[in-house]
Amino acid sequence: GDSVTQMEGPVTLSEEAFLTINCTYTATGYPSLFWYVQYPGEGLQLLLKATKADDKGSNKGFEATYRKETTSFHLEKGSVQVSDSAVYFCALGRSNTGKLIFGQGTTLQVKP
Amino acid sequence: NAGVMQNPRHLVRRRGQEARLRCSPMKGHSHVYWYRQLPEEGLKFMVYLQKENIIDESGMPKERFSAEFPKEGPSILRIQQVVRGDSAAYFCASSREEVRNTEAFFGQGTRLTVV
């Protein structure tokens, strides 16, 4: 069945450092891929998405490219801020279903 | 436009009691999803509902758990005879269309503690 695997956290970075959070998936066909962010005490917010191979999703300086050949959707940001500290979830979704398959989440801590 | 509203935010129940979790989707959204987040884990899909219909309940435990989304009023996730293992954060999400084509908006969650 479908599954999503993320790199384990926590990831601790200094402000302005480069961020990569790895995400790989197992699925047949062509699912959509998402990154969600969860700030402390809050629900999940959609950060970015890509619906087909080679699409690049981007938002707030974050980017991720849908790589079908490597079944990956790694999240990157060139210069992180303290306000980026949160838990990041990679997810997979299919047409004709409301089900999202989430990775286990990666906690990012950015220190000033 | 208010977001997805879940209540209560925190719920404490003794073993054997019933827990009722409510979710009001965003205005204009007719698709509702429930997810459970166990400590140190990602979100696990439980059930997908449209108005008055259960579309996919493949993630729901076979016993004690039920969900509904009536024509009027919020969606309800009901857990009967709760056990300690039910302690988790329960998140509701809603969307205007199927989630592949549009964003699903999440509520802030209900944190259930069974004592």
Side-chain angles (χ1 to χ4, degrees), chain B residues 25 29-32 47-56 67-76:
Chain B
H29 287 191
S30 59
H31 301 243
V32 166
V47 63
Y48 166 31
L49 310 104
Q50 293 181 31
K51 282 288 187 181
E52 301 184 276
N53 292 305
I54 296 175
I55 307 302
D56 181 350
E68 63 178 10
F69 188 16
K71 186 176 181 180
E72 300 292 337
S75 176
I76 305 289

Side-chain angles (χ1 to χ4, degrees), chain B:
Chain B
N1 188 7
V4 178
M5 304 301 293
Q6 289 188 248
N7 67 82
R9 292 289 306 278
H10 301 274
L11 181 62
V12 179
R13 284 288 177 266
R14 296 186 183 280
R15 281 178 296 172
Q17 291 184 318
E18 178 179 280
R20 290 167 62 94
L21 288 62
R22 295 175 182 78
C23 169
S24 296
M26 287 182 66
K27 186 176 181 180
H29 287 191
S30 59
H31 301 243
V32 166
Y33 322 87
W34 285 93
Y35 292 83
R36 177 166 62 176
Q37 184 179 30
L38 294 169
E40 308 299 326
E41 294 187 16
L43 280 74
K44 303 294 185 186
F45 170 81
M46 300 182 74
V47 63
Y48 166 31
L49 310 104
Q50 293 181 31
K51 282 288 187 181
E52 301 184 276
N53 292 305
I54 296 175
I55 307 302
D56 181 350
E57 57 180 347
S58 58
M60 287 279 272
K62 293 290 186 284
E63 298 177 349
R64 302 188 297 108
F65 285 72
S66 62
E68 63 178 10
F69 188 16
K71 186 176 181 180
E72 300 292 337
S75 176
I76 305 289
L77 179 67
R78 183 183 290 109
I79 311 172
Q80 297 177 305
Q81 299 176 312
V82 296
V83 301
R84 289 236 171 95
D86 297 332
S87 295
Y90 292 82
F91 289 94
C92 169
S94 75
S95 65
R96 189 180 302 275
E97 302 172 10
E98 293 163 355
V99 73
R100 175 183 168 87
N101 302 319
T102 188
E103 179 178 354
F105 292 83
F106 282 79
Q108 293 181 300
T110 294
R111 282 154 180 82
L112 172 66
T113 302
V114 179
V115 297

